[in-house]
Amino acid sequence: MPELANLAAQGTLPGILRQLSGLGGCTHPIRLDGHRTEYDIDTTTGEIGRILQHLDSTSLPAGQLLVRCNNRRTTRCPACAEVYRRDTFHLITAGLRGGKGTPEQVGTHPRVFATFTAPGFGPVHNRRTDGRPCRCGLHHDQDDDTLGTPLNPDTYDYEAAVLWNAHAGQLWRRFSIYLRREVAKRAGLSQRRLRDHARVSFAKVAEYQRRGAVHFHAVIRIDGPEGGNTPPPAWATADLLTDAIETAAAKARVDGPTIDGRTHTFTFGSQLDVRTIRSADFNDGQELTERAVAAYIAKYATKGAETATGALDRPLKFVAELAQLDISDHARTLIRTAWTLGARKSLEHLRLRAWAHMLGFRGHFSTKSRRYSTTLGALRDARAEWRRAQAATARTPQPETTYVLAHWVFAGTGLSDTEAWLSASLEPAPGTEGEPTR
Ligand SMILES: [Zn+2]
Ligand SMILES: [Zn+2]
């Protein structure tokens, strides 16, 4: 590797290793050209004074500033997806047992873990829990590629399957409105008065089933009127919450488009699963624990359609690409259906071509209500702050007395072969406290 020999000869090897280790294993960093200057401000006159720090990308060992790509997908960047998974784990955990600014007493509030599915779009190959064979007459292995694919692709309702995914986010919003209404009704309160007594908060993640339909996993919690730091009223029990969820999910309905004379309406499938979450202290090993729920949600936060259905992890530019791709026929038909529907003027708002690789789903992968717990942004800010603090051990910056002038332009992505080789040779960054390993 001649480039490596050059780096060693120039004495820049330690520098480039330091720069690469700052990426924490990110293999597709964003490269930036530019500069950043930090000035002192004279607190009496308010004038800009001397330069405290100057950074120019040309003087960096890699010749450019390298920034983590922060992609959440494991198939795109394992290191950044791992950071996303950990953050999601902390976010869910904070909402279950407190921490990161959420009070510990949320652990005593009624909480459930609920899974919402899509309705059927036609029979698919499956594994039955009662040990009987699939409708095709075979017993499928767990990793059989035909699982989740239609028994008869000609009659499978691809149009409804794609449009359901495209409306799943809206259906969830409708559900969350109905849920508050159903909780209020059971407490004998008007919807408006409910706010003076209790708050319903949630965190959810979208997951693709093998058949390519999105489903949602959610932690749903009842707090007191001020959120997590106020106790819920006596009537707020996990049973009441479960009952309200079941009714709200059954009622949620979104009117869809009319296509070639057929009017679509979207509802959740009948397979709704709601389970009470117990805190680890009261768990006898049978119940669903906080930790299991958080680990489960976090795992799915880093997966897209590509993992479950063998679809794509990036947008399609031309439909002609589809024929070249090594994907299942079922995934191909779902993508092609989204692409074809995307040509319709009346469906423009669904942006089905841009989201064809997601099988029509354009919602956020993990979302939460404001009061559930901390945000991913807050966790990221905390980490960036910690890194800055580490980098400036010699000098404590006073943010209100400095002025920063920066200009960066996008210069590309990724690492050179040598950089990638060096990056792979670095030790993985140590993890933070208390996370489960995969
Ligand atoms: Zn990355
Ligand atoms: Zn079968």
Side-chain angles (χ1 to χ4, degrees):
M1 219 171 260
E3 198 187 331
L4 194 60
N6 282 343
L7 288 170
Q10 290 159 10
T12 45
L13 201 52
I16 201 152
L17 285 171
R18 212 176 311 122
Q19 205 184 347
L20 290 170
S21 71
L23 291 172
C26 174
T27 46
H28 298 94
I30 296 154
R31 310 184 74 101
L32 300 168
D33 281 328
H35 54 85
R36 179 187 191 276
T37 315
E38 203 176 309
Y39 299 90
D40 199 2
I41 292 180
D42 187 319
T43 44
T44 48
T45 64
E47 277 172 20
I48 293 171
R50 69 201 164 92
I51 291 173
L52 293 172
Q53 212 178 28
H54 178 72
L55 175 72
D56 200 301
S57 56
T58 53
S59 64
L60 289 168
Q64 275 152 346
L65 184 72
L66 305 180
V67 183
R68 297 184 67 120
C69 74
N70 281 330
N71 198 300
R72 109 189 136 69
R73 285 190 159 93
T74 310
T75 54
R76 294 287 288 273
C77 184
C80 289
E82 178 58 15
V83 171
Y84 188 90
R85 187 188 67 80
R86 279 187 198 160
D87 283 356
T88 305
F89 178 79
H90 286 310
L91 184 152
I92 299 295
T93 305
L96 288 172
R97 58 181 178 202
K100 318 265 175 201
T102 305
E104 269 172 39
Q105 66 220 57
V106 294
T108 63
H109 298 183
R111 307 152 309 163
V112 300
F113 182 58
T115 299
F116 303 78
T117 58
F121 304 110
V124 294
H125 292 280
N126 61 3
R127 271 163 65 84
R128 297 178 55 123
T129 43
D130 58 11
R132 286 170 52 199
C134 170
R135 263 186 261 196
C136 70
L138 298 172
H139 286 275
H140 296 290
D141 276 341
Q142 198 158 0
D143 44 10
D144 190 329
D145 286 342
T146 60
L147 282 175
T149 64
L151 281 153
N152 183 356
D154 294 336
T155 58
Y156 193 78
D157 197 349
Y158 281 99
E159 182 179 287
V162 166
L163 289 173
W164 193 91
N165 281 350
H167 290 82
Q170 220 181 316
L171 189 59
W172 172 269
R173 281 192 294 281
R174 197 62 54 86
F175 160 77
S176 65
I177 293 166
Y178 288 171
L179 175 60
R180 288 175 175 101
R181 193 175 296 172
E182 293 301 325
V183 167
K185 201 189 280 179
R186 279 157 184 75
L189 296 164
S190 71
Q191 224 183 323
R192 194 190 305 192
R193 293 267 295 146
L194 176 67
R195 247 175 284 167
D196 302 330
H197 298 263
R199 297 279 177 165
V200 179
S201 70
F202 69 85
K204 79 169 204 305
V205 68
E207 184 201 350
Y208 284 87
Q209 291 176 294
R210 286 210 197 219
R211 60 184 169 130
V214 161
H215 64 178
F216 295 124
H217 298 292
V219 171
I220 307 177
R221 191 181 77 209
I222 303 185
D223 299 324
E226 302 300 319
N229 45 13
T230 45
W235 54 258
T237 62
D239 286 344
L240 178 140
L241 182 57
T242 302
D243 190 46
I245 290 168
E246 284 167 352
T247 307
K251 281 186 180 172
R253 183 174 299 270
V254 169
D255 293 328
T258 299
I259 290 164
D260 301 334
R262 175 186 178 194
T263 301
H264 287 270
T265 306
F266 306 106
T267 58
F268 284 117
S270 54
Q271 279 182 41
L272 172 70
D273 183 58
V274 188
R275 283 185 275 172
T276 303
I277 304 168
R278 311 281 179 200
S279 92
D281 306 348
F282 303 105
N283 185 41
D284 56 4
Q286 302 297 309
E287 304 276 3
L288 195 59
T289 64
E290 294 161 342
R291 202 178 165 79
V293 167
Y296 193 73
I297 289 190
K299 190 174 118 203
Y300 284 111
T302 60
K303 290 177 168 41
E306 70 282 1
T307 331
T309 4
L312 301 172
D313 64 357
R314 62 197 77 214
L316 204 63
K317 289 197 190 77
F318 312 101
V319 74
E321 288 176 68
L322 261 185
Q324 323 295 324
L325 295 165
D326 180 25
I327 56 172
S328 71
D329 287 340
H330 181 56
R332 205 185 309 274
T333 311
L334 283 164
I335 297 170
R336 194 187 301 278
T337 305
W339 188 271
T340 308
L341 287 170
R344 290 178 182 254
K345 197 91 186 121
S346 64
L347 301 181
E348 216 171 27
H349 61 290
L350 300 175
R351 306 187 59 229
L352 289 167
R353 287 202 166 172
W355 298 101
H357 67 295
M358 300 280 277
L359 315 178
F361 180 64
R362 69 189 183 291
H364 289 288
F365 258 79
S366 48
T367 54
K368 58 169 211 61
S369 56
R370 193 169 52 87
R371 286 168 195 269
Y372 178 76
S373 73
T374 182
T375 63
L376 283 178
L379 289 174
R380 254 177 233 140
D381 287 350
R383 197 165 41 239
E385 207 54 61
W386 182 83
R387 280 214 201 96
R388 268 197 292 279
Q390 269 214 325
T393 38
R395 187 183 55 84
T396 319
Q398 302 291 317
E400 61 282 8
T401 59
T402 59
Y403 175 76
V404 175
L405 204 79
H407 178 72
W408 297 105
V409 285
F410 178 76
T413 58
L415 296 171
S416 72
D417 288 349
T418 308
E419 287 166 354
W421 185 83
L422 286 169
S423 176
S425 73
L426 291 165
E427 285 289 306
T432 32
E433 80 295 337
E435 289 129 8
T437 45
R438 270 191 287 192

